[in-house]
Amino acid sequence: LIMNISIIGAGNMGAAVARGILSHSPEHTIAISNPSREKLDALLRDFPQLRTTTDNKTIIASADLIILAVKPWLIREVMEEICPLIERPEQILASLAGGIGLTELDNLLTRCSNTISPILCRIMPNTAIALGSSMTFISTLRSTPEKDEALACLFSTMGKVMLIKEELMPAATSLASCGIAFALRYIRAAMEGGVELG
C-alpha cells in the first residue's frame, strides 16, 4: 500500500523517520514540516524529492499517515492546529512522543472539536531507523487489520517491528529505545579502554 506520509517536526526523530522511509521505501510520497528551514534544507540536500514546508496545515488533508514527531509538551498545540484539517476517518494520526498515550491523544482530538475520528497510533522507533536498523513498536486505536499490516510493512523496511498492546509500551521501549544505545556505548568504551591499556 503506497501512502502519502506527512511528518510534523524535523528534529532527531522526525528527520530519522523521513530518512529511513526515503532510503528504504522510496515509493511513498513524503512531506515534512518544521518551524525553521535549516533542518528542512539539510534533508533536502540528501533527498531533493522531499516536499518541505514551515506550515503544518498545508500537508494534512492529503496525508494517509500523519506522524507527529514533536516533543510531548508540543503535542497539544500541534493537534489544535492540525486536527480541524483531518477530513477522513481512514487517515492515521500517529505520535512518536514518549509518554503520550492513545487515550490522551483521543481526548485531545475530542477537545479540538473534530467530528472525524481518525485511526490513532503510537509508534516508538529509535534513531537507528535512519539506517534501516530500528526496533519499532506500534500500538493502535480504531484501526483495522489492513491498516495495522500497512503500518507494520512500512516500518519493517526500516528494521524490526512489533505490534503490541499499549500497556506493554513502557517495557518495550525500556529495552529497545535510544536509552539502550547509551548503555551499549558505555560497554564499547570500556572494552576499547581495556584494549588500549593492554
Side-chain angles (χ1 to χ4, degrees):
L1 178 65
I2 297 174
M3 290 189 274
N4 288 326
I5 301 168
S6 293
I7 301 172
I8 309 287
N12 288 340
M13 283 310 307
V17 170
R19 288 179 181 280
I21 295 171
L22 289 161
S23 298
H24 302 284
S25 298
E27 69 275 14
H28 300 290
T29 302
I30 306 284
I32 187 166
S33 65
N34 198 66
S36 60
R37 289 275 349 155
E38 185 181 356
K39 291 176 180 177
L40 297 174
D41 291 341
L43 282 167
L44 270 177
R45 282 193 288 274
D46 294 332
F47 302 99
Q49 74 273 34
L50 182 64
R51 182 178 156 210
T52 63
T53 180
T54 55
D55 184 358
N56 296 335
K57 296 177 186 175
T58 62
I59 60 173
I60 300 305
S62 61
D64 302 308
L65 171 61
I66 303 158
I67 299 175
L68 304 178
V70 298
K71 299 294 186 189
W73 56 87
L74 293 174
I75 286 284
R76 180 175 184 166
E77 177 185 334
V78 171
M79 284 186 68
E80 286 175 349
E81 179 187 17
I82 67 166
C83 284
L85 303 169
I86 295 173
E87 300 174 341
R88 295 172 282 127
E90 68 272 15
Q91 283 180 290
I92 303 169
L93 180 61
S95 169
L96 305 183
I100 308 287
L102 292 172
T103 300
E104 188 172 351
L105 287 173
D106 205 25
N107 289 339
L108 284 170
L109 193 66
T110 303
R111 284 206 287 274
C112 292
S113 301
N114 195 333
T115 56
I116 302 295
S117 296
I119 295 165
L120 293 179
C121 179
R122 282 185 73 189
I123 301 174
M124 289 289 128
N126 54 48
T127 52
I129 199 165
L131 305 173
S133 298
S134 179
M135 178 68 238
T136 301
F137 299 99
I138 299 173
S139 299
T140 59
L141 178 67
R142 289 192 295 272
S143 190
T144 64
E146 293 76 22
K147 292 289 187 182
D148 283 352
E149 185 179 352
L151 285 168
C153 284
L154 171 65
F155 283 90
S156 69
T157 64
M158 298 170 278
K160 296 182 188 243
V161 174
M162 285 186 74
L163 288 160
I164 63 172
K165 294 179 180 177
E166 189 185 17
E167 57 263 30
L168 296 175
M169 197 64 84
T173 54
S174 71
L175 294 172
S177 66
C178 298
I180 197 72
F182 291 107
L184 293 172
R185 185 65 188 93
Y186 167 78
I187 293 168
R188 177 179 162 192
M191 290 167 55
E192 289 172 345
V195 169
E196 198 170 309
L197 293 169

